[in-house]
Amino acid sequence: WGQNSFISDIHHGPFVNQTQLEVLVNRVNSLNPDLILLGGDYVLFNRSYIKACFNKLSRLRASLGIYGVLGNHDYYEGKIETLQAMKNAKIIPLVNQNRWLKLGSEKIMISGLDDYLEGNVDIDQALTGATEKDFVVLLSHNPDNAELLKDSRAVLTLSGHTHGGQLNLFGVYAPVLHSDYGQKYTRGMVQAPQTKVFVSTGFGTVFIPLRFFARAEIV
């Protein structure tokens, strides 16, 4: 299935400008990904950033497509506007939905959940058509959704939201981590009850434009 990229928490706004967003897009395209997955929270503080953000993201290229979910900030700044901007940018939104990707005789499911904090999560709907024999990649902005899974159909879950703590005390402890499960979903590969979750530190920042032992990343 080649090279694939996951990006979360872009937060275009006062702390992530158009130049930085263009650098991100160019860097991702330079990886020649077959598939690009987006983990939500595209803008910060103001819905006026939505159109400009997706104008840049529309330049992303992937032969198997680009898929994304919504995060809590996408509800704060404008769910309807974000969904429309995603579609205009040829990014397929997955809100409790899924798509099958086929390559030769093989297939995988890309599934996406609504936001844990602001949305209406429907896991059964998101995994419609999948069996435990299938390979399912689940997109969930907030990793806490993984605690709600009751079966093992999702082989891998990709999440963001926590920013790795953003200000992390030497990679050991994050004083502020927006999760109901303590430090469990800070960053990296985490074993949830029914799935493995990779938690990205994300790209942008909130509150202050500063990271400490939680570098921005493209996964």
Side-chain angles (χ1 to χ4, degrees):
W1 289 86
Q3 175 78 26
N4 308 298
S5 295
F6 173 57
I7 317 153
S8 191
D9 300 271
I10 293 170
H11 287 300
H12 174 49
F15 303 149
V16 175
N17 60 34
Q18 284 276 293
T19 300
Q20 291 167 304
L21 189 52
E22 187 167 352
V23 169
L24 172 66
V25 169
N26 290 339
R27 180 68 62 86
V28 173
N29 283 340
S30 74
L31 298 172
N32 296 315
D34 294 298
L35 175 66
I36 297 175
L37 302 174
L38 303 175
D41 274 10
Y42 302 99
V43 302
L44 182 66
F45 293 151
N46 196 310
R47 67 183 60 196
S48 65
Y49 292 108
I50 294 172
K51 183 177 180 180
C53 177
F54 284 96
N55 281 344
K56 290 292 186 185
L57 295 182
S58 70
R59 294 182 49 244
L60 289 170
R61 295 291 180 265
S63 59
L64 293 176
I66 306 169
Y67 300 83
V69 292
L70 298 177
N72 53 302
H73 280 273
D74 303 314
Y75 277 86
Y76 304 155
E77 271 68 78
K79 173 187 175 182
I80 301 302
E81 292 89 342
T82 299
L83 288 172
Q84 187 58 56
M86 292 175 75
K87 293 173 184 177
N88 291 345
K90 302 298 189 291
I91 296 168
I92 299 172
L94 297 176
V95 182
N96 297 324
Q97 297 170 302
N98 65 66
R99 295 289 189 278
W100 287 101
L101 302 184
K102 295 182 179 180
L103 194 62
S105 61
E106 298 179 338
K107 67 177 183 178
I108 64 172
M109 175 184 280
I110 305 299
S111 178
L113 291 177
D114 206 349
D115 182 61
Y116 177 83
L117 294 175
E118 301 296 326
N120 182 22
V121 178
D122 190 330
I123 294 173
D124 288 335
Q125 180 176 316
L127 297 177
T128 298
T131 71
E132 294 197 2
K133 294 181 180 180
D134 295 313
F135 190 93
V136 179
V137 177
L138 181 64
L139 285 175
S140 171
H141 173 70
N142 193 320
D144 287 4
N145 267 329
E147 298 287 328
L148 305 177
L149 290 171
K150 303 302 182 185
D151 59 57
S152 58
R153 284 180 291 171
V155 178
L156 175 65
T157 298
L158 298 175
S159 297
H161 183 64
T162 63
H163 294 208
Q166 193 170 308
L167 299 177
N168 194 306
L169 299 180
F170 305 100
V172 176
Y173 177 76
V176 178
L177 197 71
H178 298 286
S179 170
D180 291 337
Y181 299 91
Q183 301 288 306
K184 180 175 181 178
Y185 293 110
T186 303
R187 65 187 297 176
M189 193 69 78
V190 182
Q191 182 64 58
Q194 296 289 344
T195 182
K196 287 186 177 180
V197 186
F198 189 91
V199 185
S200 170
T201 58
F203 182 74
T205 58
V206 296
F207 305 120
I208 56 174
L210 183 65
R211 286 177 173 267
F212 189 68
F213 281 84
R215 293 182 65 182
E217 67 179 354
I218 299 166
V219 181

